[in-house]
């Protein structure tokens, strides 16, 4: 599994793990993120069962298990958090931050040790070392209980499935040509995102944030001008259409 | 066979055992109705079928025994399935831990050593529980099979008693004997099937 650093200032760091060359081709490629600050770390959307070994291998290169204080699951999908039962055995004192509505569903993945911290619908925040991470509501994009993570200091928005694209394994981590990227994400957004209203509300909310990097859970990340390009494109897109094209 | 496959094999086999016992229980419930009908028949047949009346108590007993056995086996099977599922998960976790490429830096403790120790301990504990539970299940099946041998005796005695009853009731009483015999065989068949599902796990 490849790893890149998205931001580093002192002990405050954002890492992205993905583009795993050992991944089974049937498994969709996913981006996992880890934020570190001081002696604390949080893993955002830690991924599915099949990626657990590679993720743990990658994570241990940067931190130790006792420093991983929390996991965050933007929503309940298996590619986001089906590894929960495995992390549960490695991180007996950690917390899981996830939309409150998914607590009893996520417990099916195995959650005997990790403490569930339900994020209320309006969002909340988490103090990681000296930095504050905000859980921004993104309900119905696509899941009915869904959050992004915003780091004001790093100017990074981890956007979960918003901005997701089905990219090639060898594609660069960052989107370089927006127009060429559209076909990789258009169908996904039209089909997976059920509500134009939810989409528009989210865009209006996110436009107020100072974002340098928008980091989705699949495919290339958006940096600088690409973030605005993406928001403009998504604004024009009609979503919630079940046409398999 | 890998540990994960062993665990999966266990809960699949145990689910089959529970399913066989469920079928046996349905037959036992039919047997219970047969017994109640037989008792009513014996009362109507009067003094010549008095012996038959006594036999219906045995039939009812056999039915009860099978229903209880099915319930016990079901309880063990559910518990066994839970243990096997935990073992399956633990085995999967160990396999994934084994694939983690990690070397501690010089002077550093192995970050995964404690987890390995804990999870291997859990695995041993689960394996012991599963062995004990399998023995319980096998013993219970064998006991039930032994106790059900009596159905054939009850069937023979029923025929003898039927022959003593007045002619008007003989056919009906023989039919009861047939039903007891058939139910016993069918229950036995399901117990045999259940035993076969467990045979390769012991």
């Amino acid at each position: 599994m490849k790893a890149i650093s998205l931001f580093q200032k002192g002990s405050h760091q954002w890492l992205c793990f993905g583009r795993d060359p050992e991944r089974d081709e049937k498994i969709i490629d996913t981006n996992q993120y880890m934020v570190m600050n001081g002696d604390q770390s949080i893993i955002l959307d830690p991924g599915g069962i099949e990626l657990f070994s590679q993720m743990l291998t990658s994570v241990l290169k940067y931190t130790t298990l006792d420093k991983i204080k929390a996991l965050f699951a933007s929503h309940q999908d298996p590619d986001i958090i089906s590894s929960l039962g495995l992390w549960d055995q490695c991180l007996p004192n950690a917390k899981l931050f996830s939309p409150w509505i998914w607590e009893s569903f996520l417990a099916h993945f195995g959650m005997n040790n990790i403490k569930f911290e339900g994020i209320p619908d309006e969002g909340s925040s988490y103090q990681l070392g000296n930095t504050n991470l905000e859980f921004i509501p993104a309900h119905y994009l696509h899941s009915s209980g869904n959050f992004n993570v915003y780091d004001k200091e790093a100017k990074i928005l981890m956007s979960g499935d918003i901005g997701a694209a089905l990219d090639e394994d060898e594609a660069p981590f960052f989107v370089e040509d927006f127009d060429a990227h559209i076909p990789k994400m258009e169908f996904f957004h039209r089909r997976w995102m059920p509500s134009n209203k939810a989409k528009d509300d989210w865009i209006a909310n996110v436009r107020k944030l100072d974002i340098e990097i928008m980091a989705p859970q699949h495919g290339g990340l958006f940096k600088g001008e690409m973030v605005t390009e993406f928001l403009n494109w998504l604004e024009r897109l009609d979503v919630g259409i079940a046409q398999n094209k | 066979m890998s540990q994960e496959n062993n665990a999966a094999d266990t809960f699949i086999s145990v689910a089959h055992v529970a399913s066989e016992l469920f079928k046996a229980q349905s037959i036992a419930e039919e047997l219970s109705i047969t017994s109640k009908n037989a008792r009513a028949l014996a009362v109507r047949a009067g003094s010549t079928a008095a012996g038959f009346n006594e036999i219906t108590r045995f039939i009812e007993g056999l039915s009860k025994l099978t229903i209880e056995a099915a319930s016990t086996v079901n309880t063990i099977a559910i518990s066994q399935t839970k243990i096997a599922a935990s073992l399956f998960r633990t085995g999967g976790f160990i396999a994934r831990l084994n694939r983690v490429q990690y070397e501690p830096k010089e002077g550093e403790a192995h970050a995964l050593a404690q987890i390995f120790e804990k999870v291997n301990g859990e695995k041993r504990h689960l394996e012991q529980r599963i062995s004990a539970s399998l023995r319980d299940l096998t013993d219970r099946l064998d006991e039930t099979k032994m106790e059900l041998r009596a159905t054939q005796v009850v069937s023979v005695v029923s025929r003898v008693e039927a022959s003593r009853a007045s002619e008007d009731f003989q056919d009906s009483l023989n039919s009861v004997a047939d039903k007891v015999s058939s139910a016993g065989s069918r229950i036995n068949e399901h117990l045999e099937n259940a035993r076969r599902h467990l045979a390769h796990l012991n």
Side-chain angles (χ1 to χ4, degrees), chain A residues 19 21 32 42 55 64 70 73 76 80 89 97 130 139 221 242:
Chain A
R19 305 285 196 273
Q32 289 71 229
I42 181 171
M55 258 306 278
T64 53
Q76 82 293 3
I80 301 281
Q89 306 211 40
F97 290 91
N130 293 322
H139 307 307
L221 285 66

Side-chain angles (χ1 to χ4, degrees), chain B residues 4 12 27 63 73 81 104 115 167-168 171-172 183 189 200:
Chain B
E4 280 187 53
I12 292 166
I27 299 166
S63 155
V73 165
T81 304
I115 298 170
E167 264 183 42
D168 294 350
D171 284 350
S172 301
E189 202 176 301
H200 68 291

Side-chain angles (χ1 to χ4, degrees), chain A residues 22 49-50 52-53 56-57 60-61 65 86-87 89-90 107-110 113, chain B residues 89-90 92-93 95-97 99-102 105 108 111-112 115 118-119 122:
Chain A
E22 288 162 32
I49 290 172
E50 294 300 323
F52 173 77
S53 305
L56 187 53
T57 297
L60 287 175
K61 288 176 186 164
L65 291 174
L86 303 170
W87 288 107
Q89 306 211 40
C90 293
H108 279 276
F109 290 132
N113 302 308
Chain B
R89 269 190 174 172
T90 306
F93 179 58
R96 285 177 175 88
L97 270 190
R99 288 205 289 269
V100 172
Q101 291 158 19
Y102 164 78
K105 291 176 194 131
E108 251 185 26
L112 303 177
I115 298 170
K118 183 172 165 276
V119 80
E122 273 171 19

Side-chain angles (χ1 to χ4, degrees), chain A residues 42-221:
Chain A
I42 181 171
I43 303 174
L44 312 179
D45 285 357
I49 290 172
E50 294 300 323
L51 286 185
F52 173 77
S53 305
Q54 298 93 305
M55 258 306 278
L56 187 53
T57 297
S58 302
V59 160
L60 287 175
K61 288 176 186 164
Y62 300 92
T63 190
T64 53
L65 291 174
D66 58 314
K67 290 180 180 165
I68 303 172
K69 303 297 180 192
L71 302 176
F72 164 82
S74 58
H75 59 288
Q76 82 293 3
D77 275 353
D79 60 326
I80 301 281
I81 188 66
S82 66
S83 58
L84 177 61
L86 303 170
W87 288 107
D88 188 69
Q89 306 211 40
C90 293
L91 309 172
N93 302 313
K95 293 174 176 175
L96 169 67
F97 290 91
S98 199
W100 70 272
I101 62 167
W102 297 124
E103 178 173 9
S104 54
F105 294 74
L106 290 174
H108 279 276
F109 290 132
M111 191 169 51
N112 299 318
N113 302 308
I114 287 177
K115 185 170 179 265
F116 186 85
E117 295 278 350
I119 307 172
D121 286 344
E122 65 276 17
S124 62
S125 63
Y126 176 59
Q127 189 69 31
L128 181 79
N130 293 322
T131 203
N132 191 260
L133 299 175
E134 288 177 49
F135 300 132
I136 308 279
H139 307 307
Y140 296 100
L141 296 166
H142 65 93
S143 173
S144 47
N146 201 46
F147 285 95
N148 296 165
V149 179
Y150 178 61
D151 182 336
K152 195 175 179 180
E153 193 187 350
K155 298 181 183 176
I156 296 175
L157 178 74
M158 200 289 272
S159 58
D161 276 334
I162 308 167
L166 305 175
D167 242 340
E168 303 86 28
D169 283 353
E170 58 281 3
F173 267 97
F174 286 95
V175 175
E176 291 171 352
D177 179 341
F178 189 80
D179 288 338
H181 196 64
I182 290 174
K184 298 174 188 173
M185 55 181 183
E186 186 168 345
F187 167 69
F188 180 81
H189 286 78
R190 279 194 194 281
R191 182 67 206 256
W192 261 259
M193 305 296 169
S195 162
N196 279 316
K197 183 175 185 314
K199 178 200 72 167
D200 293 340
D201 288 350
W202 177 83
I203 292 170
N205 196 22
V206 161
R207 280 198 195 279
K208 295 176 199 157
L209 306 174
D210 185 5
I211 300 169
E212 178 56 27
I213 293 175
M214 193 184 112
Q217 199 237 344
H218 304 280
L221 285 66

Side-chain angles (χ1 to χ4, degrees), chain B residues 41-57:
Chain B
L41 197 63
V43 170
R44 278 199 284 135
S47 58
T48 56
F52 206 94
N53 196 21
E54 204 51 42
I55 288 167
T56 59
R57 291 184 213 284

Side-chain angles (χ1 to χ4, degrees), chain B residues 67-197:
Chain B
I67 291 167
E68 279 170 5
S71 165
T72 309
V73 165
N74 202 39
T75 306
I76 301 173
I78 289 168
S79 144
Q80 179 97 331
T81 304
K82 281 184 183 166
I83 304 168
S86 296
L87 188 60
F88 180 75
R89 269 190 174 172
T90 306
F93 179 58
I94 292 171
R96 285 177 175 88
L97 270 190
N98 282 331
R99 288 205 289 269
V100 172
Q101 291 158 19
Y102 164 78
E103 282 296 329
K105 291 176 194 131
E106 215 175 301
E108 251 185 26
H110 196 292
L112 303 177
Q114 269 191 331
I115 298 170
F116 266 116
E117 194 182 328
K118 183 172 165 276
V119 80
N120 280 321
E122 273 171 19
K123 194 184 114 197
R124 280 193 298 275
H125 177 64
L126 288 168
E127 282 168 347
Q128 283 162 3
R129 280 180 65 196
I130 226 161
S131 297
S133 177
L134 269 176
R135 276 196 301 275
D136 259 8
L137 201 53
T138 311
D139 289 351
R140 196 72 188 95
L141 284 174
D142 289 347
E143 274 171 31
T144 312
K145 245 170 104 5
M146 287 269 281
E147 285 164 348
L148 279 171
R149 280 183 189 171
T151 49
Q152 296 314 317
V153 178
V154 169
S155 172
V156 171
V157 176
S158 298
R159 284 183 212 288
V160 173
E161 290 298 328
S163 67
R164 289 181 187 159
S166 68
E167 264 183 42
D168 294 350
F169 291 98
Q170 277 188 4
D171 284 350
S172 301
L173 291 172
N174 274 324
S175 158
V176 169
D178 288 345
K179 282 181 183 165
V180 172
S181 171
S182 158
S185 304
R186 285 187 294 148
I187 290 172
N188 201 43
E189 202 176 301
H190 289 301
L191 292 177
E192 286 282 352
N193 288 344
R195 194 68 176 81
R196 261 198 297 278
H197 283 298

